[in-house]
Amino acid sequence: MTTIDEDKRTAAGSLGVSGFGGDKKCWLDLRGLGEWRQAVGEEALHQGFDAIVAADAADLAPLPPSVTRVLVPEELPDDFGVADLVLVDPRRHGMPSVLAAQHPGVRFGSRHDVRDPDDLAAACESVRRDPVILLHFLDPTNIPMEIVLAAADGTEGTIITRVDGVDDATVHLSVLEHGPGGVMLAGAAPGEATRLAEVVRDRSPDLKLVTLTVTGVRHAGTGERACVDTCTYLRQDEGILVGSRSRGMVLCVSETHPLPYMPTRPFRVNAGAIMSYTLADHEHTRYLSELTAGGTVLAVGADGRTRRVTVGRVKIETRPLLSIDAVAPTGERVNLIVQDDWHVRVLGPGATVHNSTSLQPGDEVLGYLPGRERHVGYPIDELCYEQ
């Protein structure tokens, strides 16, 4: 596998492009925008896009140096203008490394339209060699992208893939878990640059979990409880936050720990009574009864790390219930109602697993205090008593 030399790593860094595992990049393609060119271009600059792409160096001239100006010419011009990066077709224009030697001070990368096995082979060679690679996959399958990303594993280069819309970007960025280094939006209309920036730069920040002290455990009759089945293999120290009140929740662990009478369900959290709150993302709450297939719920680790996972189904059944009361160091009272069975578990400090029916006053469990009231899932400052 070819190792990119120090000069290429410096070039990639100076162009504001990231290697694999770094921050994802937003590019905008001015080609083909027609009447929307100025409006969408200004929107992209306002949203802090990392690069603007044009076919003519003259179209890059008005752009500020705060954005990477990328030239994608049909034919190599005599003057590259203000372009910070020139992307060429190696089979047509020559190797980027050779062109860089011929044009001192000009940075070169490669571009490929992938429509057949030969194109795919050329793209795989480029990602192992070139510092920046722009790819356009023409067939409606992610297999070629998976192959290219696999070929690029362990290299220093940055792959940017063309997308025709925000939904496509969401798919691209999840291929082989990490996706490409960024996406280039083509054929955009006003508003799409803003949406793309929100998708690409969306992060699931860590939560500051607190240690709650159990104050009471009691049987609570019968009612409906929800098992949340996700489309993700949850870890042994991972679950979802659940609580009877919006201001305090307990970390209910996934069913990844062995049980004597049934197999583990590593995708599932036996979460709690259907009226309980959980977090759909780091900011918005949902009732367990509101979660549906295709939606999201926030998976939370014992160390506070989070990730949004897709809900596959919510399994609601009538079961005996158990009410668990706890208190936070701040004095905030927290309640959790779960199925009354020992295999329903919550996490304590250090990812200690507690069977819910074995909890006693004085035991410590992990929780989270959102700190604000809720209205239809949104945080709001208003008078609200929950008891």
Side-chain angles (χ1 to χ4, degrees):
M1 182 175 293
T2 303
T3 300
I4 293 181
D5 60 28
E6 188 64 36
D7 181 63
K8 287 180 180 177
R9 285 194 291 269
T10 302
S14 67
L15 292 170
V17 292
S18 65
F20 302 105
D23 292 335
K24 302 299 183 181
K25 300 300 176 182
C26 291
W27 287 24
L28 175 69
D29 190 357
L30 294 179
R31 300 171 297 169
L33 287 187
E35 61 178 319
W36 300 122
R37 173 178 294 194
Q38 182 174 351
V40 177
E42 292 177 354
E43 180 187 354
L45 290 174
H46 179 72
Q47 291 298 327
F49 268 46
D50 302 284
I52 303 292
V53 177
D56 191 331
D59 293 329
L60 298 175
L63 298 176
S66 58
V67 66
T68 300
R69 296 161 291 196
V70 182
L71 182 64
V72 184
E74 288 299 319
E75 302 294 339
L76 290 181
D78 296 326
D79 183 4
F80 297 101
V82 299
D84 302 301
L85 173 66
V86 180
L87 299 180
V88 298
D89 181 344
R91 293 182 291 180
R92 178 179 176 187
H93 302 117
M95 293 293 181
S97 58
V98 174
L99 292 170
Q102 296 173 349
H103 301 275
V106 180
R107 304 295 189 184
F108 286 88
S110 61
R111 69 178 194 262
H112 298 268
D113 291 334
V114 179
R115 60 172 63 82
D116 58 36
D118 289 340
D119 295 335
L120 180 60
C124 288
E125 291 178 8
S126 283
V127 297
R128 293 191 291 264
R129 177 192 66 224
D130 301 328
V132 185
I133 309 97
L134 175 63
L135 299 175
H136 181 198
F137 296 97
L138 280 78
D139 288 326
T141 171
N142 293 319
I143 299 300
M145 191 189 311
E146 292 178 1
I147 294 171
V148 172
L149 292 178
D153 187 51
T155 68
E156 298 285 343
T158 294
I159 294 175
I160 305 293
T161 60
R162 167 181 162 151
V163 297
D164 294 318
V166 177
D167 290 342
D168 288 344
T170 301
V171 174
H172 281 216
L173 293 170
S174 63
V175 171
L176 287 191
E177 294 190 28
H178 60 69
V183 291
M184 179 186 74
L185 181 62
E192 289 189 287
T194 299
R195 290 181 57 216
L196 181 67
E198 293 173 349
V199 167
V200 172
R201 291 166 182 165
D202 181 49
R203 295 292 182 270
S204 187
D206 292 349
L207 296 179
K208 185 178 181 180
L209 300 182
V210 299
T211 298
L212 307 172
T213 302
V214 175
T215 58
V217 180
R218 65 189 186 277
H219 301 291
T222 301
E224 281 67 62
R225 68 92 175 99
C227 283
V228 180
D229 291 348
T230 72
C231 298
T232 298
Y233 203 118
L234 299 170
R235 304 180 181 98
Q236 289 193 323
D237 68 339
E238 196 174 32
I240 67 175
L241 289 160
V242 184
S244 301
R245 307 183 185 106
S246 64
R247 293 177 63 91
M249 303 177 188
V250 177
L251 186 54
C252 297
V253 70
S254 56
E255 292 190 7
T256 53
H257 299 272
L259 294 165
Y261 300 110
M262 58 192 299
T264 59
R265 305 294 201 288
F267 52 83
R268 171 176 294 174
V269 179
N270 192 323
I274 57 173
M275 86 306 151
S276 305
Y277 284 103
T278 190
L279 289 175
D281 54 48
H282 72 279
E283 189 173 50
H284 299 98
T285 59
R286 292 287 184 271
Y287 298 121
L288 290 178
S289 63
E290 292 177 333
L291 298 179
T292 57
T296 63
V297 68
L298 194 69
V300 182
D303 58 358
R305 73 183 184 280
T306 71
R307 55 176 175 152
R308 282 190 297 181
V309 297
T310 301
V311 176
R313 82 181 138 256
V314 177
K315 196 163 174 275
I316 297 174
E317 297 162 313
T318 302
R319 293 291 187 268
L321 299 177
L322 187 73
S323 178
I324 303 166
D325 291 312
V327 64
T330 59
E332 185 76 45
R333 294 182 302 114
V334 178
N335 177 262
L336 170 67
I337 297 177
V338 296
Q339 179 180 343
D340 190 346
D341 199 294
W342 70 282
H343 75 271
V344 179
R345 293 158 165 171
V346 297
L347 282 177
T352 302
V353 179
H354 293 284
N355 296 326
S356 59
T357 54
S358 299
L359 287 172
Q360 298 179 0
D363 287 343
E364 293 182 335
V365 296
L366 289 175
Y368 176 62
L369 306 179
R372 299 176 70 185
E373 311 299 346
R374 300 282 160 165
H375 183 66
V376 293
Y378 290 91
I380 185 173
D381 295 316
E382 67 171 0
L383 178 66
C384 178
Y385 292 114
E386 295 179 294
Q387 57 188 32

